[in-house]
Amino acid sequence: MAKKVAVLAVNPVNGCGLFQYLEAFFENGIPYKVFAVSDTKEIKTNSGVTLTVDDVIANLKGHEDEFDALVFSCGDAVPVFQQYADKPYNVDLMEVIKTFGEKGKVMIGHCAGAMMFDFTGITKGKKIAVHPLAKPAIQNGTATDEKSEIDGNFFTAQDENTIWTMLPRIIEALK
């Protein structure tokens, strides 16, 4: 039986990255649910396309055991995260990431995804791929210059253009 995946989509989300994951999951029969890192289920892609996703992050909190894996789908909201870190949906985001990581669940992310994982302290001793501009922010894991890194339960890619380098291994891990 395929593992169930919680997909986190920031607002605005990078549609190219998000849709690579969703298409791969759909084509391989991997169940997923998309949660907006927002207080509404209606979000936008960074190119302005409006999406209505399954739920909001507040409703994932406390239900982490219903999922086997977490995807952090990056977007234009991340560069300004610090300005809005105290918003309830961003507090929930960090708590959900930490809970999934501490439970040893499959952690998947691209661009600044590994940086968000690192902020919670769950990447200690892990090699992670992260956007080159986010590399200096990594404090717990070891940021590499690879297009993607797979280290234990962590699957990370530098950006949406390198997700493809790890997708086959992600699918294998989730099937």
Side-chain angles (χ1 to χ4, degrees):
M1 179 144 187
K3 292 178 170 60
K4 189 172 179 186
V5 182
V7 179
L8 305 180
V10 296
N11 186 24
V13 67
N14 178 289
C16 179
L18 174 65
F19 294 128
Q20 284 180 76
Y21 296 120
L22 300 184
E23 189 73 15
F25 298 160
F26 177 80
E27 288 179 355
N28 288 280
I30 297 167
Y32 64 88
K33 190 170 182 180
V34 181
F35 294 87
V37 180
S38 174
D39 47 15
T40 175
K41 293 192 306 185
E42 189 171 285
I43 61 173
K44 291 191 179 288
T45 67
N46 54 3
S47 57
V49 176
T50 301
L51 303 172
T52 301
V53 300
D54 300 310
D55 211 337
V56 294
I57 187 125
N59 295 328
L60 175 57
K61 205 170 130 186
H63 296 276
E64 294 89 350
D65 287 336
E66 296 172 22
F67 297 89
D68 305 293
L70 181 79
V71 171
F72 180 84
S73 194
C74 203
D76 289 347
V78 173
V80 295
F81 174 79
Q82 188 174 4
Q83 291 173 308
Y84 302 100
D86 62 342
K87 294 282 187 193
Y89 53 83
N90 281 326
V91 172
D92 290 343
L93 166 69
M94 300 312 286
E95 289 176 12
V96 164
I97 289 173
K98 185 171 180 137
T99 300
F100 269 81
E102 288 176 344
K103 290 178 178 271
K105 296 186 183 250
V106 175
M107 304 295 291
I108 304 163
H110 69 280
C111 199
M115 180 182 75
M116 302 304 280
F117 298 163
D118 195 74
F119 285 167
T120 69
I122 61 172
T123 60
K124 281 188 174 79
K126 300 288 185 184
K127 285 198 277 187
I128 50 178
V130 64
H131 191 284
L133 295 176
K135 193 174 175 186
I138 302 302
Q139 302 290 313
N140 296 296
T142 302
T144 71
D145 292 319
E146 298 298 319
K147 289 181 180 177
S148 63
E149 285 287 351
I150 299 167
D151 190 349
N153 60 319
F154 283 82
F155 296 75
T156 53
Q158 276 191 344
D159 58 34
E160 69 276 8
N161 299 312
T162 60
I163 292 171
W164 68 270
T165 64
M166 65 178 185
L167 260 180
R169 298 271 307 275
I170 290 171
I171 298 307
E172 182 181 309
L174 296 176
K175 275 194 146 184

